[in-house]
């Protein structure tokens, strides 16, 4: 959250509180009273209601401004504030422009010509927008770059503008994508392989079926100082799932803290039946403490028990309804569905308006096929500001199965 003014979340069942949390229901209710909720929407731009940086609000806010037919002028005005506020407003305006707002697009272009943090803004729009929307700003950039304290770090859009950037010595490494699994594993097992190459090998393996032969190599995949695992090791182990549990028992007793922690986490993620009461109690304690960071992991562990974890349902529902940490919200819904899918149609439907991509994806997959739901999924499919993953999922949900997709039983 930002520190502008004193910030306290409104009740989770009010429109203001729902919008602060990025809940889909907040967007739906705001559409029913555009003028009455406009102030709450603009407040979401003025103040950063995200619990931390993993939460997403930009597309949520941009859609609210667009769908409520609000003026983007107050958002454009935020560009003149400090750099953090400027960049938050910039992201909302970029998405508004992609959604068809000429006023938002011209507001950002004008800021590049006149604003204080223009360099960061032009870097941002060069990523978010089609090149024809910004490449004509090269003359402005060349005229203004001399006033910056240092050369830009990023290559684009500066090299396209013919502006020097800070040098970054880089020796490209050959791609390992063409190697077979056993060749990649041999690189990981070889003590003389450089750390960067091992990371490349782990990256290449991450796009394939989990390799059980990786398990005995894990203890050797730490940094040279022995203080932490190499990048992507934890992700590789998580993909192995329960296959890593036997080895994890030994890792958990290892003298290296990183390996002991990794082993403990694997065991916690794959608990036996005796662990269920403790996990429900852990979730209850997290709720009592209003611990907004971390209960998603507890929820995933509880979900593994399915209907046997019914005692966790009240806490999962409370977290789903009230958490300001929107990044974790989908995990609570996923856990609720694993325990008892009944009664969740409204939650999946609401998720189609949620601020988080993971929630929208869950809604696309699981919301019932009512006219309202199918209409909303079509909106997500056709929205140029939406993420490619959500648009693809929406397209797949709305595409009728072909005859080859159907199985007939005689």
């Amino acid at each position: 959250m930002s520190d502008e003014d004193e910030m306290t979340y409104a009740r989770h069942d009010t429109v203001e509180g729902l919008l602060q949390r990025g809940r889909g229901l907040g967007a739906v209710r705001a559409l029913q009273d555009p003028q009455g909720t406009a102030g709450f929407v603009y407040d979401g731009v003025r103040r950063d209601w995200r619990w931390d940086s993993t939460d997403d609000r930009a597309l949520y806010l941009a859609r609210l401004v667009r769908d409520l037919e609000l003026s983007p002028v107050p958002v454009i005005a935020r560009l003149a504030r400090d750099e953090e506020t400027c960049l938050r407003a910039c992201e909302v305006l970029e998405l508004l422009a992609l959604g068809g707002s000429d006023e938002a697009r011209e507001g950002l272009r004008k800021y590049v010509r006149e604003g204080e943090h223009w360099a960061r803004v032009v870097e941002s729009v060069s990523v978010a927008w089609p090149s024809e929307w910004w490449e004509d700003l090269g003359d402005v950039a060349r005229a203004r770059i001399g006033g910056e304290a240092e050369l830009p770090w990023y290559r684009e859009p500066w090299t396209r503008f013919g502006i020097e950037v800070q040098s970054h010595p880089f020796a490209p490494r050959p791609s390992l994508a063409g190697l077979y699994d056993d060749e990649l594993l041999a690189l990981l097992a070889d003590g003389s392989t450089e750390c960067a190459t091992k990371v490349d090998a782990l990256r290449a393996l991450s796009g394939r079926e989990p390799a059980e032969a990786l398990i005995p190599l894990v203890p050797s995949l730490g940094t040279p100082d022995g203080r932490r695992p190499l990048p992507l090791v934890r992700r590789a182990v998580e993909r192995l799932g329960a296959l890593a549990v036997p080895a994890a028992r030994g890792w958990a007793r290892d003298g290296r803290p990183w390996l002991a922690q990794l082993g403990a986490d694997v065991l916690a993620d794959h608990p036996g039946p005796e662990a269920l009461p403790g996990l429900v109690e852990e979730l209850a304690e997290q709720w009592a403490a209003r611990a907004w960071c971390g209960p998603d992991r507890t929820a995933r562990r509880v979900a593994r028990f399915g209907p046997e974890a019914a005692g966790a349902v009240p806490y999962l529902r409370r977290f789903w309804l009230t958490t300001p940490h929107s990044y974790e919200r989908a995990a609570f819904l996923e856990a609720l569905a694993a325990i008892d899918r009944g009664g969740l149609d409204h939650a999946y439907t609401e998720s189609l308006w949620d601020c988080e991509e993971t929630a929208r994806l869950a809604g696309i997959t699981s919301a019932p096929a009512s006219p309202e739901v199918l209409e909303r999924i079509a909106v997500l499919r056709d929205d140029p500001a939406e993420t490619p993953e959500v648009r693809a999922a929406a397209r797949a949900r709305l595409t009728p199965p072909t005859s080859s997709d159907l199985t007939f039983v005689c």
Side-chain angles (χ1 to χ4, degrees):
M1 293 187 297
S2 67
D3 295 326
E4 185 173 339
D5 302 332
E6 182 179 355
M7 296 182 64
T8 303
Y9 288 98
R11 283 181 53 90
H12 72 277
D13 53 358
T14 64
V15 175
E16 181 181 12
L18 289 164
L19 292 172
Q20 289 168 350
R21 291 165 173 81
R23 284 267 305 276
L25 183 58
V28 173
R29 289 175 61 179
L31 287 166
Q32 298 167 357
D33 182 16
Q35 293 308 311
T37 55
F40 300 145
V41 174
Y42 287 135
D43 181 68
V45 178
R46 184 171 73 89
R47 300 193 286 184
D48 187 0
W49 287 103
R50 297 177 304 165
W51 188 255
D52 74 16
S53 60
T54 59
D55 295 340
D56 191 8
R57 291 292 187 280
L59 181 54
Y60 183 78
L61 292 167
R63 280 187 170 135
L64 285 166
V65 172
R66 180 193 66 193
D67 295 345
L68 273 60
E69 299 182 353
L70 303 179
S71 169
V73 170
V75 186
I76 295 170
R78 303 303 293 173
L79 295 171
R81 303 299 291 261
D82 62 90
E83 184 175 21
E84 180 183 348
T85 302
C86 170
L87 293 177
R88 286 205 319 272
C90 172
E91 192 174 1
V92 173
L93 291 166
E94 287 170 350
L95 294 165
L96 277 170
L98 288 172
S101 172
D102 291 337
E103 195 171 3
R105 182 170 67 173
E106 289 309 311
L108 282 173
R109 287 173 54 84
K110 180 179 180 182
Y111 184 83
V112 170
R113 292 191 291 269
E114 303 173 0
E116 178 183 359
H117 308 295
W118 71 276
R120 295 291 305 276
V121 168
V122 79
E123 287 174 347
S124 184
V125 299
S126 73
V127 173
W129 284 354
S131 59
E132 58 267 24
W133 286 12
W134 55 265
E135 60 187 358
D136 63 332
L137 294 169
D139 288 342
V140 174
R142 286 186 289 272
R144 299 199 68 185
I145 195 64
E148 295 298 298
E150 59 181 13
L151 294 173
W153 278 86
Y154 300 106
R155 293 183 59 82
E156 291 295 344
W158 309 109
T159 52
R160 188 178 304 207
F161 292 159
I163 294 172
E164 182 184 359
V165 298
Q166 297 193 34
S167 61
H168 305 284
F170 174 72
R173 298 191 299 273
S175 171
L176 304 183
L179 298 183
Y180 292 108
D181 285 6
D182 57 349
E183 294 173 309
L184 294 169
L185 292 166
L187 284 173
L188 293 170
D190 188 344
S192 64
T193 302
E194 294 183 355
C195 289
T197 303
K198 289 186 176 183
V199 174
D200 287 343
L202 289 167
R203 183 176 293 107
L205 286 169
S206 69
R208 308 179 186 185
E209 289 296 312
E212 191 172 355
L214 176 66
I215 294 173
L217 303 180
V218 168
S220 67
L221 298 179
T223 54
D225 61 8
R227 297 178 60 184
R228 57 182 62 88
L230 291 175
L232 303 183
V233 167
R234 178 173 287 273
R235 184 187 305 174
V237 170
E238 289 174 349
R239 293 181 69 245
L240 288 163
L243 293 173
V245 169
R249 296 190 180 100
W251 300 344
R253 298 190 297 270
D254 196 274
R256 288 164 289 182
W258 72 265
L259 187 57
Q261 185 62 57
L262 179 60
D265 288 343
V266 170
L267 295 176
D269 285 341
H270 299 84
E274 71 285 350
L276 179 56
L279 286 171
V280 175
E281 179 62 26
E282 180 181 336
L283 202 61
E285 292 174 354
Q286 289 170 325
W287 171 254
R290 302 303 190 268
W292 303 125
C293 291
D296 63 330
R297 188 156 196 167
T298 310
R300 291 189 182 95
R301 291 168 176 169
V302 165
R304 295 179 183 275
F305 294 93
E308 296 178 7
V313 166
Y315 305 109
L316 293 169
R317 287 190 182 278
R318 292 170 195 167
F319 272 117
W320 183 81
L321 287 168
T322 63
T323 182
H325 192 1
S326 57
Y327 177 81
E328 297 198 0
R329 188 156 47 233
F332 306 130
L333 183 54
E334 179 183 351
L336 286 166
I339 296 168
D340 183 2
R341 177 65 173 77
L344 295 179
D345 285 354
H346 72 285
Y348 282 118
T349 298
E350 172 189 330
S351 296
L352 294 168
W353 282 264
D354 199 274
C355 67
E356 294 293 335
E357 178 187 64
T358 51
R360 297 195 298 279
L361 287 169
I364 290 168
T365 302
S366 300
S370 67
E372 176 194 29
V373 164
L374 297 178
E375 180 182 357
R376 178 61 180 177
I377 293 175
V379 169
L380 298 178
R381 177 197 61 192
D382 299 334
D383 188 348
E386 184 54 88
T387 67
E389 292 78 11
V390 168
R391 296 187 71 185
R395 192 178 305 112
R397 172 77 189 265
L398 296 175
T399 300
T402 63
S403 57
S404 61
D405 295 327
L406 301 175
T407 301
F408 297 92
V409 179
C410 298

